Amino acid sequence: MKRITTIFAIATFVLSTNAKAQLVNDSEGYQRIEASFAAQKTDWGKDNSYTKTKGFELGYIKGINLTSRIPLFLELGGQLTWTHAKDEVYSVDVKHTFMNISIPVNVAYKFAFASSENITIVPFVGPNFKFNVIGKEKWGDEKTSYLSKDDMGGKDNRANIFQAGMNLGIGVNIAHNLYVGYRFQPDFKKYFDEGDVKTHTNYLTIGVNF
């Protein structure tokens, strides 16, 4: 909740401190390819234990204008995220690896910055649908897949292949083509049905609009 409040505060501050901020007269859609630094936190819900993994995201976004009168867009696309971490516990190497494919469905609003359409601000929010492809740990030579019913002792004990969450963030378009942004992605559906295991991910993104 603090992260969500902070993002809204940043968006409000940018717009309120720029007295000349205005809606862009832009009814054309857009496409974007992007690459992100990704930082995922898995909260295991036991003694406040958690795992932090870092990696990258590769994605594609298509913005569809919803009305010709205002720059309100529906963003659809696909994103592949991979994160990894290596720690040492009691002199034993411990590795965690996660990979997922997500489908965002965002509503984005485009504002001009300082009355110049060369720089536009794009806050966005919407649901996210994530499919977990890899979720595993390795303690020394022992490997465990969280998504495997054999490794986890049954289908009901394994991690969820599907997770629903949301996207909340803000981006900046520079000279129309260059995009930089930040996105917070909490998952509402738990990683495991049993226990209070939750995941959320932060993204720092750079992309190209075309």
Side-chain angles (χ1 to χ4, degrees):
M1 182 60 69
K2 290 182 179 179
R3 192 69 56 84
I4 295 174
T5 302
T6 300
I7 295 173
F8 272 121
I10 292 172
T12 302
F13 173 79
V14 170
L15 297 177
S16 63
T17 55
N18 184 352
K20 296 184 179 180
Q22 60 184 6
L23 293 177
V24 180
N25 184 19
D26 184 358
S27 61
E28 294 185 0
Y30 52 87
Q31 299 180 72
R32 182 171 69 246
I33 54 174
E34 60 183 33
S36 305
F37 167 76
Q40 176 177 300
K41 181 178 179 180
T42 304
D43 185 350
W44 299 102
K46 298 178 180 180
D47 301 323
N48 295 319
S49 63
Y50 57 87
T51 300
K52 290 185 176 181
T53 54
K54 298 178 181 179
F56 64 89
E57 177 218 64
L58 299 175
Y60 166 80
I61 295 292
K62 181 176 179 61
I64 304 170
N65 183 248
L66 297 177
T67 171
S68 60
R69 295 185 177 182
I70 59 175
L72 182 66
F73 298 88
L74 177 67
E75 292 188 339
L76 303 172
Q79 297 160 330
L80 172 68
T81 302
W82 179 91
T83 62
H84 177 77
K86 179 180 178 180
D87 299 304
E88 186 174 303
V89 180
Y90 301 116
S91 300
V92 178
D93 288 337
V94 180
K95 299 178 182 179
H96 289 89
T97 305
F98 298 92
M99 187 170 73
N100 64 74
I101 297 172
S102 61
I103 301 173
V105 184
N106 300 325
V107 175
Y109 220 69
K110 188 181 292 187
F111 294 88
F113 185 75
S115 298
S116 171
E117 293 190 9
N118 288 325
I119 299 178
T120 55
I121 303 168
V122 189
F124 59 88
V125 64
N128 183 72
F129 306 99
K130 186 169 77 174
F131 298 89
N132 293 310
V133 179
I134 295 175
K136 62 183 181 181
E137 69 175 19
K138 181 180 179 182
W139 284 72
D141 295 327
E142 184 177 345
K143 301 178 181 179
T144 301
S145 172
Y146 301 136
L147 301 172
S148 170
K149 62 181 181 180
D150 295 329
D151 288 359
M152 300 305 296
K155 182 178 180 180
D156 295 336
N157 297 325
R158 71 180 183 181
N160 289 306
I161 294 176
F162 172 76
Q163 285 182 280
M166 72 175 295
N167 293 307
L168 179 64
I170 188 168
V172 178
N173 294 311
I174 303 172
H176 300 291
N177 298 117
L178 178 63
Y179 174 89
V180 293
Y182 166 75
R183 181 171 89 256
F184 176 54
Q185 185 185 89
D187 293 314
F188 296 147
K189 183 174 178 60
K190 296 178 181 179
Y191 190 61
F192 285 99
D193 286 332
E194 294 294 329
D196 194 23
V197 183
K198 303 176 182 178
T199 52
H200 65 258
T201 312
N202 294 280
Y203 297 91
L204 294 175
T205 302
I206 185 169
V208 177
N209 299 312
F210 58 96

